[in-house]
Tab-separated table of all heavy atoms in Angstrom:
chain	number	residue	atom	x	y	z
G	80	LYS	N	117.946	103.526	99.379
G	80	LYS	CA	117.966	104.982	99.170
G	80	LYS	C	118.508	105.332	97.791
G	80	LYS	O	118.014	106.248	97.119
G	80	LYS	CB	118.818	105.645	100.253
G	80	LYS	CG	118.819	107.162	100.183
G	80	LYS	CD	119.605	107.759	101.352
G	80	LYS	CE	119.582	109.276	101.298
G	80	LYS	NZ	120.350	109.868	102.437
G	81	LYS	N	119.502	104.589	97.333
G	81	LYS	CA	120.129	104.851	96.046
G	81	LYS	C	119.362	104.231	94.890
G	81	LYS	O	119.419	104.724	93.756
G	81	LYS	CB	121.565	104.309	96.066
G	81	LYS	CG	122.401	104.690	94.849
G	81	LYS	CD	123.832	104.196	95.013
G	81	LYS	CE	124.693	104.577	93.814
G	81	LYS	NZ	126.092	104.095	93.967
G	82	HIS	N	118.614	103.148	95.144
G	82	HIS	CA	117.913	102.418	94.084
G	82	HIS	C	116.436	102.181	94.453
G	82	HIS	O	115.979	101.037	94.487
G	82	HIS	CB	118.582	101.058	93.832
G	82	HIS	CG	120.055	101.122	93.590
G	82	HIS	ND1	120.981	101.103	94.605
G	82	HIS	CD2	120.758	101.179	92.430
G	82	HIS	CE1	122.205	101.151	94.085
G	82	HIS	NE2	122.099	101.194	92.771
G	83	PRO	N	115.677	103.221	94.717
G	83	PRO	CA	114.298	103.019	95.191
G	83	PRO	C	113.391	102.336	94.173
G	83	PRO	O	112.562	101.495	94.541
G	83	PRO	CB	113.816	104.438	95.499
G	83	PRO	CG	114.685	105.322	94.652
G	83	PRO	CD	116.018	104.664	94.627
G	84	ARG	N	113.533	102.650	92.894
G	84	ARG	CA	112.676	102.013	91.883
G	84	ARG	C	113.035	100.534	91.722
G	84	ARG	O	112.166	99.684	91.549
G	84	ARG	CB	112.809	102.744	90.548
G	84	ARG	CG	112.275	104.164	90.555
G	84	ARG	CD	112.279	104.751	89.141
G	84	ARG	NE	111.859	106.139	89.132
G	84	ARG	CZ	112.681	107.166	89.239
G	84	ARG	NH1	113.988	106.961	89.355
G	84	ARG	NH2	112.222	108.420	89.228
G	85	THR	N	114.320	100.257	91.781
G	85	THR	CA	114.765	98.866	91.688
G	85	THR	C	114.257	98.069	92.886
G	85	THR	O	113.786	96.932	92.735
G	85	THR	CB	116.302	98.801	91.626
G	85	THR	OG1	116.755	99.541	90.488
G	85	THR	CG2	116.780	97.369	91.519
G	86	ALA	N	114.358	98.639	94.069
G	86	ALA	CA	113.875	97.968	95.273
G	86	ALA	C	112.378	97.707	95.186
G	86	ALA	O	111.898	96.627	95.562
G	86	ALA	CB	114.197	98.814	96.506
G	87	ARG	N	111.638	98.686	94.663
G	87	ARG	CA	110.189	98.501	94.531
G	87	ARG	C	109.868	97.373	93.550
G	87	ARG	O	109.009	96.532	93.825
G	87	ARG	CB	109.537	99.808	94.072
G	87	ARG	CG	108.012	99.709	93.957
G	87	ARG	CD	107.398	101.053	93.614
G	87	ARG	NE	107.625	102.024	94.667
G	87	ARG	CZ	106.877	102.131	95.764
G	87	ARG	NH1	105.844	101.301	95.934
G	87	ARG	NH2	107.144	103.052	96.674
G	88	ARG	N	110.569	97.334	92.417
G	88	ARG	CA	110.321	96.270	91.463
G	88	ARG	C	110.663	94.898	92.056
G	88	ARG	O	109.962	93.914	91.826
G	88	ARG	CB	111.123	96.515	90.170
G	88	ARG	CG	111.043	95.386	89.117
G	88	ARG	CD	109.608	95.014	88.734
G	88	ARG	NE	108.867	96.110	88.180
G	88	ARG	CZ	108.829	96.450	86.892
G	88	ARG	NH1	109.520	95.737	86.017
G	88	ARG	NH2	108.105	97.466	86.482
G	89	PHE	N	111.747	94.835	92.832
G	89	PHE	CA	112.146	93.589	93.485
G	89	PHE	C	111.031	93.082	94.401
G	89	PHE	O	110.657	91.901	94.362
G	89	PHE	CB	113.430	93.816	94.298
G	89	PHE	CG	113.795	92.684	95.212
G	89	PHE	CD1	114.475	91.583	94.736
G	89	PHE	CD2	113.454	92.728	96.559
G	89	PHE	CE1	114.811	90.524	95.575
G	89	PHE	CE2	113.783	91.675	97.408
G	89	PHE	CZ	114.457	90.580	96.910
G	90	VAL	N	110.487	93.960	95.229
G	90	VAL	CA	109.432	93.561	96.170
G	90	VAL	C	108.159	93.200	95.413
G	90	VAL	O	107.499	92.197	95.723
G	90	VAL	CB	109.165	94.680	97.190
G	90	VAL	CG1	107.961	94.327	98.067
G	90	VAL	CG2	110.397	94.918	98.061
G	91	GLU	N	107.792	94.001	94.431
G	91	GLU	CA	106.585	93.715	93.644
G	91	GLU	C	106.691	92.363	92.961
G	91	GLU	O	105.721	91.585	92.945
G	91	GLU	CB	106.386	94.813	92.604
G	91	GLU	CG	105.953	96.155	93.178
G	91	GLU	CD	105.896	97.250	92.121
G	91	GLU	OE1	106.434	97.041	91.015
G	91	GLU	OE2	105.319	98.310	92.412
G	92	ALA	N	107.840	92.078	92.375
G	92	ALA	CA	108.030	90.811	91.677
G	92	ALA	C	107.936	89.629	92.648
G	92	ALA	O	107.299	88.612	92.354
G	92	ALA	CB	109.385	90.806	90.973
G	93	THR	N	108.568	89.771	93.813
G	93	THR	CA	108.502	88.717	94.823
G	93	THR	C	107.066	88.485	95.262
G	93	THR	O	106.603	87.341	95.372
G	93	THR	CB	109.362	89.092	96.045
G	93	THR	OG1	110.721	89.309	95.639
G	93	THR	CG2	109.322	87.999	97.102
G	94	ALA	N	106.349	89.581	95.512
G	94	ALA	CA	104.960	89.489	95.963
G	94	ALA	C	104.091	88.773	94.930
G	94	ALA	O	103.271	87.905	95.269
G	94	ALA	CB	104.411	90.892	96.238
G	95	ARG	N	104.260	89.128	93.671
G	95	ARG	CA	103.458	88.499	92.608
G	95	ARG	C	103.780	87.015	92.466
G	95	ARG	O	102.884	86.191	92.254
G	95	ARG	CB	103.694	89.227	91.285
G	95	ARG	CG	103.145	90.631	91.220
G	95	ARG	CD	103.449	91.279	89.883
G	95	ARG	NE	102.762	90.598	88.780
G	95	ARG	CZ	102.988	90.857	87.485
G	95	ARG	NH1	103.908	91.760	87.149
G	95	ARG	NH2	102.315	90.208	86.561
G	96	ALA	N	105.053	86.667	92.602
G	96	ALA	CA	105.452	85.256	92.488
G	96	ALA	C	104.877	84.429	93.639
G	96	ALA	O	104.450	83.286	93.441
G	96	ALA	CB	106.972	85.143	92.464
G	97	ILE	N	104.873	84.989	94.837
G	97	ILE	CA	104.305	84.284	95.990
G	97	ILE	C	102.828	83.989	95.756
G	97	ILE	O	102.343	82.875	96.009
G	97	ILE	CB	104.501	85.114	97.273
G	97	ILE	CG1	105.976	85.091	97.690
G	97	ILE	CG2	103.619	84.593	98.406
G	97	ILE	CD1	106.313	86.052	98.809
G	98	GLU	N	102.110	84.984	95.250
G	98	GLU	CA	100.677	84.788	95.009
G	98	GLU	C	100.424	83.868	93.815
G	98	GLU	O	99.442	83.116	93.804
G	98	GLU	CB	99.989	86.135	94.824
G	98	GLU	CG	99.906	86.941	96.110
G	98	GLU	CD	99.328	86.131	97.266
G	98	GLU	OE1	98.211	85.587	97.121
G	98	GLU	OE2	100.011	86.012	98.306
G	99	TRP	N	101.305	83.905	92.819
G	99	TRP	CA	101.175	82.970	91.690
G	99	TRP	C	101.328	81.539	92.191
G	99	TRP	O	100.546	80.649	91.833
G	99	TRP	CB	102.227	83.273	90.629
G	99	TRP	CG	102.138	82.370	89.427
G	99	TRP	CD1	101.361	82.552	88.320
G	99	TRP	CD2	102.851	81.135	89.221
G	99	TRP	NE1	101.540	81.508	87.436
G	99	TRP	CE2	102.442	80.624	87.952
G	99	TRP	CE3	103.783	80.419	89.962
G	99	TRP	CZ2	102.947	79.436	87.434
G	99	TRP	CZ3	104.280	79.229	89.449
G	99	TRP	CH2	103.866	78.752	88.199
G	100	ALA	N	102.334	81.306	93.031
G	100	ALA	CA	102.561	79.963	93.558
G	100	ALA	C	101.417	79.526	94.469
G	100	ALA	O	101.062	78.346	94.517
G	100	ALA	CB	103.882	79.932	94.329
G	101	ARG	N	100.815	80.479	95.178
G	101	ARG	CA	99.727	80.151	96.093
G	101	ARG	C	98.455	79.747	95.339
G	101	ARG	O	97.692	78.889	95.794
G	101	ARG	CB	99.433	81.357	96.994
G	101	ARG	CG	98.681	81.012	98.273
G	101	ARG	CD	98.137	82.266	98.950
G	101	ARG	NE	99.127	83.264	99.253
G	101	ARG	CZ	99.850	83.329	100.367
G	101	ARG	NH1	99.698	82.399	101.289
G	101	ARG	NH2	100.710	84.317	100.573
G	102	SER	N	98.220	80.384	94.190
G	102	SER	CA	96.964	80.179	93.462
G	102	SER	C	97.082	79.188	92.300
G	102	SER	O	96.081	78.857	91.668
G	102	SER	CB	96.457	81.519	92.920
G	102	SER	OG	97.400	82.083	92.009
G	103	THR	N	98.277	78.710	92.022
G	103	THR	CA	98.518	77.808	90.896
G	103	THR	C	98.583	76.363	91.385
G	103	THR	O	99.127	76.103	92.463
G	103	THR	CB	99.839	78.182	90.195
G	103	THR	OG1	99.762	79.549	89.747
G	103	THR	CG2	100.116	77.283	89.007
G	104	PRO	N	98.051	75.416	90.638
G	104	PRO	CA	98.141	74.010	91.052
G	104	PRO	C	99.580	73.606	91.357
G	104	PRO	O	100.510	73.994	90.635
G	104	PRO	CB	97.591	73.247	89.840
G	104	PRO	CG	96.646	74.216	89.202
G	104	PRO	CD	97.264	75.567	89.389
G	105	ARG	N	99.757	72.838	92.412
G	105	ARG	CA	101.084	72.450	92.859
G	105	ARG	C	101.895	71.804	91.748
G	105	ARG	O	103.087	72.091	91.585
G	105	ARG	CB	100.951	71.481	94.039
G	105	ARG	CG	102.275	70.888	94.499
G	105	ARG	CD	102.106	69.864	95.597
G	105	ARG	NE	103.360	69.169	95.834
G	105	ARG	CZ	103.786	68.117	95.139
G	105	ARG	NH1	103.037	67.627	94.157
G	105	ARG	NH2	104.953	67.555	95.416
G	106	GLU	N	101.282	70.935	90.978
G	106	GLU	CA	102.000	70.233	89.911
G	106	GLU	C	102.574	71.215	88.894
G	106	GLU	O	103.676	71.010	88.366
G	106	GLU	CB	101.075	69.237	89.210
G	106	GLU	CG	100.587	68.098	90.085
G	106	GLU	CD	99.503	68.509	91.077
G	106	GLU	OE1	98.955	69.624	90.911
G	106	GLU	OE2	99.222	67.737	92.010
G	107	THR	N	101.835	72.283	88.621
G	107	THR	CA	102.302	73.296	87.675
G	107	THR	C	103.496	74.054	88.233
G	107	THR	O	104.465	74.341	87.523
G	107	THR	CB	101.164	74.271	87.337
G	107	THR	OG1	100.050	73.547	86.815
G	107	THR	CG2	101.610	75.309	86.318
G	108	VAL	N	103.435	74.394	89.532
G	108	VAL	CA	104.546	75.109	90.169
G	108	VAL	C	105.800	74.247	90.161
G	108	VAL	O	106.890	74.715	89.816
G	108	VAL	CB	104.180	75.516	91.606
G	108	VAL	CG1	105.367	76.221	92.264
G	108	VAL	CG2	102.959	76.418	91.626
G	109	VAL	N	105.655	72.996	90.534
G	109	VAL	CA	106.806	72.083	90.585
G	109	VAL	C	107.422	71.921	89.196
G	109	VAL	O	108.652	71.977	89.037
G	109	VAL	CB	106.395	70.718	91.159
G	109	VAL	CG1	107.526	69.699	90.989
G	109	VAL	CG2	106.030	70.845	92.630
G	110	ALA	N	106.588	71.738	88.187
G	110	ALA	CA	107.093	71.580	86.821
G	110	ALA	C	107.848	72.817	86.375
G	110	ALA	O	108.897	72.726	85.720
G	110	ALA	CB	105.934	71.296	85.870
G	111	ARG	N	107.319	73.988	86.729
G	111	ARG	CA	107.984	75.243	86.357
G	111	ARG	C	109.344	75.345	87.047
G	111	ARG	O	110.339	75.760	86.436
G	111	ARG	CB	107.107	76.429	86.764
G	111	ARG	CG	107.661	77.795	86.365
G	111	ARG	CD	107.004	78.279	85.130
G	111	ARG	NE	107.648	79.441	84.556
G	111	ARG	CZ	107.038	80.267	83.698
G	111	ARG	NH1	105.774	80.055	83.356
G	111	ARG	NH2	107.675	81.287	83.165
G	112	CYS	N	109.406	74.982	88.314
G	112	CYS	CA	110.659	75.051	89.062
G	112	CYS	C	111.701	74.080	88.510
G	112	CYS	O	112.882	74.423	88.397
G	112	CYS	CB	110.400	74.770	90.537
G	112	CYS	SG	109.496	76.077	91.404
G	113	ILE	N	111.261	72.886	88.167
G	113	ILE	CA	112.190	71.903	87.610
G	113	ILE	C	112.751	72.398	86.282
G	113	ILE	O	113.956	72.282	86.013
G	113	ILE	CB	111.490	70.543	87.443
G	113	ILE	CG1	111.199	69.932	88.809
G	113	ILE	CG2	112.354	69.587	86.614
G	113	ILE	CD1	110.407	68.642	88.759
G	114	GLU	N	111.903	72.953	85.453
G	114	GLU	CA	112.358	73.488	84.162
G	114	GLU	C	113.335	74.635	84.367
G	114	GLU	O	114.335	74.762	83.653
G	114	GLU	CB	111.150	73.951	83.343
G	114	GLU	CG	111.493	74.396	81.929
G	114	GLU	CD	112.126	73.305	81.090
G	114	GLU	OE1	111.823	72.106	81.329
G	114	GLU	OE2	112.932	73.631	80.195
G	115	LEU	N	113.050	75.495	85.348
G	115	LEU	CA	113.950	76.611	85.652
G	115	LEU	C	115.311	76.096	86.104
G	115	LEU	O	116.358	76.614	85.683
G	115	LEU	CB	113.330	77.491	86.733
G	115	LEU	CG	114.222	78.565	87.364
G	115	LEU	CD1	114.783	79.499	86.298
G	115	LEU	CD2	113.448	79.351	88.422
G	116	MET	N	115.322	75.078	86.948
G	116	MET	CA	116.583	74.517	87.415
G	116	MET	C	117.399	73.943	86.260
G	116	MET	O	118.631	74.048	86.235
G	116	MET	CB	116.311	73.459	88.473
G	116	MET	CG	115.804	74.036	89.794
G	116	MET	SD	115.187	72.786	90.952
G	116	MET	CE	116.644	71.797	91.205
G	117	LYS	N	116.740	73.354	85.295
G	117	LYS	CA	117.444	72.829	84.124
G	117	LYS	C	118.058	73.970	83.312
G	117	LYS	O	119.195	73.866	82.836
G	117	LYS	CB	116.488	72.022	83.259
G	117	LYS	CG	116.031	70.710	83.878
G	117	LYS	CD	115.031	70.001	82.968
G	117	LYS	CE	114.571	68.685	83.573
G	117	LYS	NZ	113.545	68.009	82.729
G	118	LYS	N	117.308	75.055	83.165
G	118	LYS	CA	117.776	76.177	82.340
G	118	LYS	C	118.962	76.891	82.959
G	118	LYS	O	119.838	77.388	82.230
G	118	LYS	CB	116.627	77.184	82.125
G	118	LYS	CG	115.545	76.696	81.192
G	118	LYS	CD	114.573	77.809	80.825
G	118	LYS	CE	113.815	78.323	82.030
G	118	LYS	NZ	112.799	79.333	81.646
């Protein structure tokens, strides 16, 4: 109620990431995650 735009961006970002991971080759997703963990 206090942060409706922030909440919307949070859900939109999550939704886009789920679909990116679904449509991207597994090896690419894993490599991206490993790099993120290092950073």
Side-chain angles (χ1 to χ4, degrees):
K80 184 176 181 180
K81 188 176 181 180
H82 308 87
R84 294 187 184 91
T85 301
R87 182 175 296 277
R88 175 54 60 88
F89 169 83
V90 174
E91 289 175 346
T93 302
R95 291 179 65 189
I97 288 171
E98 290 309 305
W99 181 87
R101 200 193 304 272
S102 61
T103 302
R105 174 184 170 276
E106 295 75 13
T107 303
V108 178
V109 170
R111 183 99 191 200
C112 290
I113 291 175
E114 186 60 30
L115 169 57
M116 290 169 61
K117 291 178 180 177
K118 288 190 296 184

